[in-house]
Structure formats: C-alpha cells, structure tokens
Amino acid sequence: MKSMKKIVLTLAMLAFAMPSLAAPKVPDPSAPGLSGTQRLQALLDRVRLEQQKLKTLEARFVQHQESSLLAAPEESNGVFSYAAPDRVRWEYQEPSPITVVIQGEQMTTWYRDLKRADLVKVGRYSNQVLKYLGASGNMQTLVDYFTVKLSMPAKKGDPYRLELIPRYPRIAKRLKSMTIWIDDELFFPTRMKYVEADGDTTDYEFRDLKKNAPIPADRFVLKLPKEVQTRTIDLGEGKQGKEPNAPRQRP
C-alpha cells in the first residue's frame, strides 16, 4: 500500500504542471528591482501561464529512491506521457518493467514481470493529497500550504529552485519537504524531490521534454493479457478488494 501512496503523491506533485484556468500577464521573475516575494509571485505566475498552453507532455525520466525498506538506493528510468486533462502514463523500463496508466480517478499499475496488475480507485484519497499539496489547481496554492524559499539561477541555463516546507501538521504527517527545479526558459519542472515524514526520499529528473507534440490516444489504453492476475484497491474509501487468485506479494 505504501508504494501505491507514493505513486499518488508523485502524481500530486506533477499536477501543478497541468493546465489551470486563470490568464495572468506575462511576468518576468528575473526583472530588476523586485523583492523576494515579488520574484516568487512572478515565477508562479509565469509557470501558470505556461500551464495554460499545455495540451500534451512527454519526457524521459530517472527516478532515484532511498528508503529504510531498501537494501541500497534504487534507480529506475522510463518515459512519462501526459494528455490534458487527466490522462497519464508512466512506462518504467529499467530495472523492472512496470506500466502505470491513469485516466480520471482510476489508476492501473501493471507489474509485467510478475504478471500482476493493481486497479486503483484513487477517489477521495487523491483529492485529499492534491489539496494538501496545493497542486489541484496550480502552483499558486503551494504558498498557502508550504513555506517557500526561492533560489534564483546563478547563470543562464541554471534552473530556479523552490524549497518547500509544510506549514500544517496534517501535511507534515506525510511529507517532510519538497524541492522543485524549474527550467529558466521553459518554466516547467525538470526535477522534483520529496522527503517523506519517515525519511524516505524520491527524486525525479525529467529530460528531453516535448510539449504539445501529438500523442496517440491508445498510449493511455492499457490492455492486460489474460494471464495477468488483477486486484482492486480503493484508496478513496480506505478499503481493499482482492480477486480470488490475486498474489499476496508486493514488489
């Protein structure tokens, strides 16, 4: 269950890169004469402006994890795909082939080598996480839920860096800190790291970003072979159902 919550938490982090509705003026966070608060606001507004233009996004990713449950740090890589408003695919290629497809409130995780799939009704749990992280609408809400420290690029080509510490105990129970790196030209996240309350860390780096390139609709359709065993997990209600022959082991 913890691994499933990590996936939902990561999706919540990424949600700020999906379109919002407001249409601010084109801001410049590097403009001279701005105070620290004004620079942060200008950066948030600029990211929001880029959000509105986003229809699709593809990128290669590298995921680095450290956990007390792991004998050593683990690194995975693959391809991330997104199509507005709510279709997502994570294709983990190495070291273990795993496919995660999200459409609306349903998430399917296919562990290919185990011939097993988890069908997750994200529901209320997802809504709570998105609300707590301030990511359900856009990055602006982050300042309401986190203390944010902005580090400006040292030189052209360096990213903006946001360090976030939860303001409220209900968030801190799940998340100790978050760090987001934002490209100084694309104004999109290229790296995100979060540290959970128990000290576990997950670090995502995104490379070769492609914005608004055509993505086939079937990219977000997952057809499971007949031999794949499935089980249903309902995070929205905190209940779990399992089909008769579903395996008990977790990856």
Side-chain angles (χ1 to χ4, degrees), residues 2-204:
K2 184 172 182 179
S3 63
M4 201 63 63
K5 290 183 178 180
K6 282 188 176 183
I7 293 174
V8 176
L9 182 61
T10 303
L11 291 172
M13 289 171 55
L14 287 171
F16 74 82
M18 300 177 185
S20 55
L21 299 177
K25 295 167 54 179
V26 177
D28 181 6
S30 63
L34 297 180
S35 67
T37 300
Q38 290 171 329
R39 289 193 189 281
L40 174 60
Q41 186 61 56
L43 177 61
L44 298 179
D45 287 344
R46 184 58 182 275
V47 170
R48 183 170 57 187
L49 181 63
E50 297 303 323
Q51 291 171 351
Q52 296 166 2
K53 304 174 185 177
L54 186 66
K55 303 301 180 184
T56 67
L57 179 68
E58 281 193 297
R60 298 197 61 81
F61 71 85
V62 176
Q63 172 190 300
H64 184 85
Q65 286 186 300
E66 296 184 17
S67 170
S68 58
L69 300 179
L70 299 174
E74 287 189 355
E75 187 168 283
S76 306
N77 64 73
V79 177
F80 171 81
S81 305
Y82 163 76
D86 58 5
R87 291 177 293 168
V88 176
R89 181 170 183 144
W90 295 85
E91 193 69 38
Y92 287 82
Q93 297 170 339
E94 295 178 331
S96 300
I98 300 173
T99 301
V100 182
V101 172
I102 302 97
Q103 290 202 42
E105 293 188 348
Q106 180 164 311
M107 176 168 63
T108 302
T109 303
W110 178 14
Y111 304 97
R112 293 174 177 265
D113 55 348
L114 299 178
K115 296 182 179 181
R116 194 193 78 202
D118 290 342
L119 310 180
V120 181
K121 297 178 181 179
V122 181
R124 186 176 64 189
Y125 181 82
S126 176
N127 292 336
Q128 289 175 342
V129 172
L130 291 172
K131 179 179 177 182
Y132 292 159
L133 294 184
S136 57
N138 54 67
M139 284 191 72
Q140 178 62 49
T141 318
L142 288 174
V143 299
D144 295 330
Y145 291 90
F146 293 84
T147 299
V148 184
K149 177 183 177 182
L150 169 62
S151 297
M152 298 291 289
K155 62 181 184 302
K156 185 176 178 58
D158 287 350
Y160 295 89
R161 187 176 69 187
L162 298 176
E163 299 178 55
L164 303 101
I165 304 297
R167 291 178 180 270
Y168 303 107
R170 68 179 185 273
I171 308 174
K173 287 172 63 175
R174 295 184 173 90
L175 190 66
K176 183 177 180 180
S177 67
M178 266 172 58
T179 306
I180 303 171
W181 289 260
I182 298 173
D183 187 272
D184 67 336
E185 293 185 357
L186 296 176
F187 290 96
F188 264 76
T190 55
R191 183 183 170 192
M192 288 174 286
K193 177 180 180 180
Y194 63 85
V195 181
E196 297 182 59
D198 60 5
D200 289 1
T201 66
T202 304
D203 192 336
Y204 283 88

Side-chain angles (χ1 to χ4, degrees), residues 87-89 99 101 103 216-224:
R87 291 177 293 168
V88 176
R89 181 170 183 144
T99 301
V101 172
Q103 290 202 42
D218 61 4
R219 179 76 55 83
F220 305 101
V221 177
L222 193 57
K223 296 182 179 180
L224 300 174

Side-chain angles (χ1 to χ4, degrees), residues 225-246:
K226 293 182 179 180
E227 66 269 18
V228 174
Q229 296 179 320
T230 65
R231 68 174 180 178
T232 298
I233 300 173
D234 190 344
L235 295 182
E237 299 299 331
K239 297 178 181 179
Q240 177 173 319
K242 186 182 297 183
E243 294 193 3
N245 296 323

